[in-house]
Amino acid sequence: MSVYMATELKLIKQIQRKANQSAANSLISKYYHEIYAYMYKQTMNKELALDLTQDIFIHVLQAIHSFDERKASFRTWLYKLATNKIVDYFRSRHYKVNHFLTPIEEDDVILADDFTIQLEYKEDVAKITAIVNQLEVHTQQIFRLKFFAEYTFSEISAVLGIPESTVKTKYYSMIRKIKKQFEEISDE
């Protein structure tokens, strides 16, 4: 076990045993920007990504007593919770209601080097997200971990607890479906 992982496990044990706030702050600080980036890539909305990231870490601290280092690393466990949170969000009524009401943020227009490219990218991400949201939960999790978190098939297998061959099969099948549906949507 690396020194890095030993330090992380020490922080986790301090949180589990003594509800140590300093240890909790250290652990959250270590992963906050990484999880925020993961959420932002999927939502393309700063405030929403911040809200979801905060919700994830609140859930992490509430559920940390159930973390077991023998089953997975903390990072793997954290990404599993984060992936479940984003899947739940996209399946929620809140997303479905607000999805069509959210205007383009004025800050994005002012800060964009090339607004047209940014707008097209956001539209493409929105189209792909809409397609992915219709998929079965495990398939959504595989896509999100591969595409947004840039996990390897082996890492996804560890996070989801399914064989790597199953991850690959589902991923490539899903990519074909997404490409086909994306082309159909784009042609409209």
Side-chain angles (χ1 to χ4, degrees):
M1 178 184 305
S2 71
V3 174
Y4 178 76
M5 289 181 74
T7 303
E8 189 173 89
L9 286 175
K10 184 178 176 185
L11 292 172
I12 293 166
K13 299 250 186 257
Q14 288 174 353
I15 299 165
Q16 289 173 329
R17 292 183 184 142
K18 303 173 189 171
N20 185 312
Q21 188 169 351
S22 175
N25 289 340
S26 294
L27 192 62
I28 289 169
S29 294
K30 183 176 179 181
Y31 288 101
Y32 190 85
H33 293 292
E34 184 178 340
I35 295 300
Y36 168 77
Y38 180 58
M39 293 294 115
Y40 181 78
K41 287 177 187 177
Q42 296 179 74
T43 63
M44 298 304 293
N45 179 304
K46 296 174 205 167
E47 289 77 23
L48 178 58
L50 285 169
D51 288 346
L52 289 170
T53 302
Q54 181 178 351
D55 289 349
I56 289 163
F57 283 107
I58 288 170
H59 182 71
V60 163
L61 293 175
Q62 291 171 340
I64 199 144
H65 65 279
S66 68
F67 170 72
D68 183 352
E69 74 267 11
R70 294 169 296 193
K71 293 182 180 177
S73 71
F74 177 76
R75 185 173 186 269
T76 297
W77 184 73
L78 176 61
Y79 268 91
K80 184 171 186 168
L81 294 177
T83 301
N84 289 339
K85 174 61 91 178
I86 196 71
V87 168
D88 289 346
Y89 169 75
F90 282 121
R91 294 170 69 194
S92 74
R93 178 176 154 80
H94 177 75
Y95 166 73
K96 292 173 183 168
V97 169
N98 289 328
H99 178 66
F100 297 104
L101 301 176
T102 305
I104 296 172
E105 298 173 15
E106 289 179 22
D107 292 346
D108 289 345
V109 176
I110 295 167
L111 299 176
D113 292 334
D114 186 344
F115 177 68
T116 305
I117 292 172
Q118 184 179 0
L119 183 59
E120 288 174 2
Y121 176 74
K122 280 188 173 188
E123 288 174 358
D124 288 349
V125 169
K127 288 177 187 175
I128 291 170
T129 300
I131 295 167
V132 170
N133 291 343
Q134 297 171 9
L135 301 173
E136 179 260 327
V137 172
H138 258 136
T139 307
Q140 284 188 47
Q141 292 170 328
I142 292 168
F143 177 82
R144 293 176 191 291
L145 289 167
K146 184 72 174 159
F147 189 75
F148 297 112
E150 300 175 4
Y151 267 38
T152 64
F153 291 121
S154 176
E155 291 169 326
I156 295 169
S157 172
V159 168
L160 300 179
I162 57 177
E164 188 174 339
S165 60
T166 302
V167 171
K168 288 179 183 178
T169 301
K170 285 186 174 219
Y171 178 77
Y172 289 117
S173 172
M174 168 193 41
I175 291 300
R176 284 190 295 276
K177 287 178 188 175
I178 290 171
K179 278 184 179 179
K180 183 180 178 195
Q181 288 183 8
F182 184 78
E183 288 169 1
E184 289 170 3
I185 292 170
S186 296
D187 289 341
E188 292 176 355

